[in-house]
Amino acid sequence: MTKMGETEEIAVDPDFYAMKIYYGRDAQDLQSDTTSIASAIARGRLENGRRYQAIKEDDYWGPSDEQQFEAFEIGHMVFLVLDHDQPNPLFRAPIGDSPKNILDIGTGQGNWAIDVADRYPAATVRGVDIFPPPVTWMPPNCIFEVDDVLREWTWREPFDFIHMRLMYGAFPPEGWHQLYKQAYDALEPGGWIEQMELDVRVYSDDGSLKKEHQLYGWGDMFIRCSERAGRSLRTHETMRNAIKEAGFVDVHEEKYKIPLGPWARNNILKETGHLQYSHWNAALEGWAMWLLTHHGEPVPWTKEEVQVYLAKVRKELNNPHIHAYEPANRVWARKPTKEELEVKEANIKVETSP
């Protein structure tokens, strides 16, 4: 079983140390070769050796360069392996066999949008982000657009499904409320929204992650940094209620534990952990550099201080005796049907009538 509640422990493989399972497998072996398109390189700004794309000055704290695109691609594979036993590992929302219009917000590398377009060739799948994905080929029914989703949406056709993944820290609280309302308004009655987010904090069930470890305080420190930046990284905690408050019904939530490294006994979690280890190694600097150099504690850090800190974190990631994992939450919910909306409106009129 690949999905677990918060109270269920991940069993450690007793043969793990004897097998010497390569934490250090080259991440290049876990991704397809991609080439950045010229427009992606031309946009944005350089800071501390990383490229950040922006429509506005304060758009996003994460970089969008070749190294981060590599992390996006490995991250996509993490979620596919994690849900490999599902009829559809790409999402959980029951959208039927013939959706017409699908929107992927924060499409990143574009992998999810491309895979969904392949799965539903009769549907139009749009991937939108503040930078263009570095893709050289896409299905004819897949469209990538560069836009700020907090501006007025100009898509004319209503969507059957709106998807988001790893969007933590993308918006301030008021931006999230605006986005969920825009998604609600843009969906067909009966259409679905789904969001998948990681908890940036790291845990262990067997006490192998200790207070003296860098990973122990990793997530809490970055949550404090993000609060100072005005963009909370606790999206996994707030999205369910925010989606419900936007008017969605039939709200579902699924919780996961994703190992950092191939230490789990369960074969699927072992492979998932292997990929997540590579995901972290590719993404660490991108996750840390902007937040720590702008909002680090007690004062903003230098680039060199960040790099020294990350070297210590990588050393712990390579320690097979630390059985750490990262929680994740998936939420999916439905916009009420026309009939449900009519009943709700009628009830409101009855309640407010003199």
Side-chain angles (χ1 to χ4, degrees):
M1 184 175 179
T2 64
K3 300 166 288 298
M4 285 173 270
E6 292 182 325
T7 59
E8 184 176 348
E9 294 188 4
I10 304 176
V12 179
D13 184 353
D15 299 321
F16 172 54
Y17 307 110
M19 291 188 294
K20 301 184 183 303
I21 299 180
Y22 28 87
Y23 269 87
R25 183 195 292 176
D26 190 347
Q28 294 294 331
D29 295 336
L30 302 171
Q31 63 161 349
S32 303
D33 290 333
T34 58
T35 304
S36 297
I37 57 178
S39 60
I41 298 174
R43 295 174 56 85
R45 67 187 188 279
L46 286 173
E47 185 177 315
N48 291 316
R50 303 304 297 268
R51 184 174 295 278
Y52 297 81
Q53 311 292 355
I55 295 174
K56 306 189 298 290
E57 275 302 311
D58 64 343
D59 259 324
Y60 192 49
W61 55 270
S64 53
D65 51 21
E66 184 176 352
Q67 183 175 342
Q68 208 66 14
F69 286 137
E70 174 187 319
F72 292 155
E73 185 159 356
I74 301 172
H76 178 62
M77 290 189 284
V78 167
F79 294 115
L80 289 182
V81 173
L82 189 65
D83 271 333
H84 88 289
D85 61 339
Q86 294 294 324
N88 178 359
L90 292 163
F91 56 86
R92 193 72 77 253
I95 66 172
D97 297 327
S98 55
K100 295 179 181 178
N101 291 288
I102 296 173
L103 178 64
D104 183 31
I105 296 175
T107 197
Q109 177 84 349
N111 303 84
W112 186 93
I114 290 172
D115 285 354
V116 171
D118 279 336
R119 188 179 184 95
Y120 299 99
T124 298
V125 180
R126 298 180 183 274
V128 61
D129 215 316
I130 59 173
F131 51 83
V135 295
T136 56
W137 178 91
M138 67 193 77
N141 60 321
C142 185
I143 301 168
F144 289 118
E145 302 179 22
V146 176
D147 205 350
D148 176 3
V149 293
L150 294 187
R151 296 176 179 172
E152 182 181 358
W153 290 13
T154 57
W155 297 296
R156 296 182 179 180
E157 296 295 326
F159 294 101
D160 303 288
F161 182 38
I162 295 177
H163 172 264
M164 291 178 278
R165 187 175 67 192
L166 300 187
M167 293 281 288
Y168 46 66
F171 310 112
E174 63 274 13
W176 278 113
H177 290 296
Q178 177 184 337
L179 179 61
Y180 292 131
K181 183 182 183 304
Q182 288 172 300
Y184 181 92
D185 292 340
L187 280 166
E188 285 273 18
W192 289 84
I193 187 173
E194 180 166 321
Q195 187 168 359
M196 179 82 163
E197 298 292 345
L198 290 170
D199 183 344
V200 298
R201 291 164 294 194
V202 178
Y203 304 85
S204 70
D205 288 331
D206 60 1
S208 58
L209 180 64
K210 303 184 184 302
K211 288 185 178 180
E212 59 266 25
H213 290 138
Q214 302 292 334
L215 284 169
Y216 186 91
W218 163 274
D220 286 329
M221 179 177 67
F222 281 105
I223 286 173
R224 293 192 296 271
C225 290
S226 71
E227 298 292 347
R228 288 191 287 273
R231 299 190 171 213
S232 176
L233 294 176
R234 304 179 80 146
T235 309
H236 70 288
E237 295 178 354
T238 59
M239 60 183 179
R240 177 174 182 155
N241 285 339
I243 287 171
K244 189 173 181 179
E245 289 172 4
F248 289 94
V249 297
D250 200 9
V251 181
H252 303 264
E253 183 171 19
E254 190 155 21
K255 298 182 179 182
Y256 303 75
K257 291 180 178 179
I258 304 177
L260 297 183
W263 53 263
R265 178 183 298 176
N266 177 283
N267 286 333
I268 297 305
L269 289 180
K270 185 186 297 294
E271 184 61 25
T272 302
H274 211 150
L275 288 164
Q276 187 69 339
Y277 165 83
S278 296
H279 182 207
W280 268 63
N281 270 288
L284 274 177
E285 186 180 276
W287 289 339
M289 187 61 72
W290 189 90
L291 281 171
L292 290 179
T293 57
H294 285 259
H295 300 282
E297 52 190 33
V299 296
W301 298 16
T302 66
K303 174 184 176 181
E304 291 71 25
E305 288 173 331
V306 175
Q307 291 172 332
V308 169
Y309 170 66
L310 294 181
K312 296 176 182 178
V313 172
R314 287 192 174 94
K315 185 177 180 180
E316 291 181 1
L317 287 175
N318 283 320
N319 184 347
H321 298 286
I322 299 177
H323 305 139
Y325 66 85
E326 188 174 16
N329 293 42
R330 184 196 300 274
V331 172
W332 64 102
R334 178 174 55 82
K335 180 176 180 177
T337 63
K338 289 182 179 179
E339 292 77 10
E340 289 172 322
L341 291 171
E342 289 171 358
V343 170
K344 181 179 180 181
E345 185 176 341
N347 290 337
I348 293 175
K349 287 181 179 179
V350 170
E351 292 174 359
T352 57
S353 62

